[in-house]
Amino acid sequence: MAIDIVVTQSFACEPEIVLNTLSEHQHLDRFFNASFTVLPSHAHYTRRQVSMLGYRFIERVEQVDPFTLNYHIEGDGPVNHHCASINVTPSETGCLLVYSIHCQAKWWQPSWLLQAIIRHDLTQALHKLKELCDAC
């Protein structure tokens, strides 16, 4: 079953600060409950190995520009067909981040539980990101 999650977070800083912070791949463990290792690029894409909850998988960052970061999991991961889009738009008081995740649960994973866990972890990560970025 397909899972679609959208979480928004407002920031009191410029969009560039937020996306630059999210582009510091080796330091993403400050926000997410995982460790990240930058791998050699492949076909000009940034790739990072993620270790989380006993899983080890590779994310490929496909697009990074001043307002967008898109990535997906290469090969087998803790969920099927995982892709994400992070969009940051300027606002009068700073910027608004919209983090969208699309994935599918594995046959043995309850979709409702997986969705709740991902949403909770993502919300917590964005709160940590906000604390850091808004302090700049």
Side-chain angles (χ1 to χ4, degrees):
M1 174 180 270
I3 297 172
D4 290 300
I5 300 167
V6 177
V7 177
T8 61
Q9 179 67 59
S10 61
F11 291 83
C13 62
E14 298 296 318
E16 295 81 11
I17 292 173
V18 175
L19 275 181
N20 286 343
T21 303
L22 287 172
S23 294
E24 295 173 355
H25 307 288
Q26 66 276 16
H27 300 296
L28 290 175
D29 61 346
R30 296 178 290 181
F31 319 112
F32 297 97
N33 294 324
S35 62
F36 297 81
T37 304
V38 177
L39 300 174
S41 64
H42 178 63
H44 304 290
Y45 292 110
T46 298
R47 297 170 67 236
R48 55 194 183 202
Q49 180 175 292
V50 182
S51 299
M52 172 181 77
L53 301 173
Y55 287 96
R56 192 171 273 191
F57 54 93
I58 296 174
E59 292 179 344
R60 183 171 92 175
V61 179
E62 296 181 332
Q63 177 183 358
V64 179
D65 63 41
F67 301 104
T68 307
L69 189 150
N70 294 328
Y71 68 90
H72 78 272
I73 292 177
E74 291 182 344
D76 194 33
V79 297
N80 293 326
H81 310 293
H82 179 281
C83 59
S85 177
I86 303 168
N87 295 291
V88 185
T89 55
S91 68
E92 290 182 16
T93 59
C95 63
L96 178 69
L97 179 143
V98 178
Y99 200 128
S100 303
I101 294 176
H102 175 79
C103 64
Q104 292 180 349
K106 298 209 182 257
W107 67 268
W108 52 269
Q109 296 170 320
S111 296
W112 64 269
L113 179 59
L114 184 60
Q115 183 170 4
I117 290 169
I118 293 171
R119 181 177 300 281
H120 176 267
D121 288 351
L122 183 56
T123 300
Q124 295 295 351
L126 294 182
H127 286 295
K128 292 176 188 176
L129 179 65
K130 177 179 175 58
E131 288 177 12
L132 179 73
C133 290
D134 285 353
C136 295

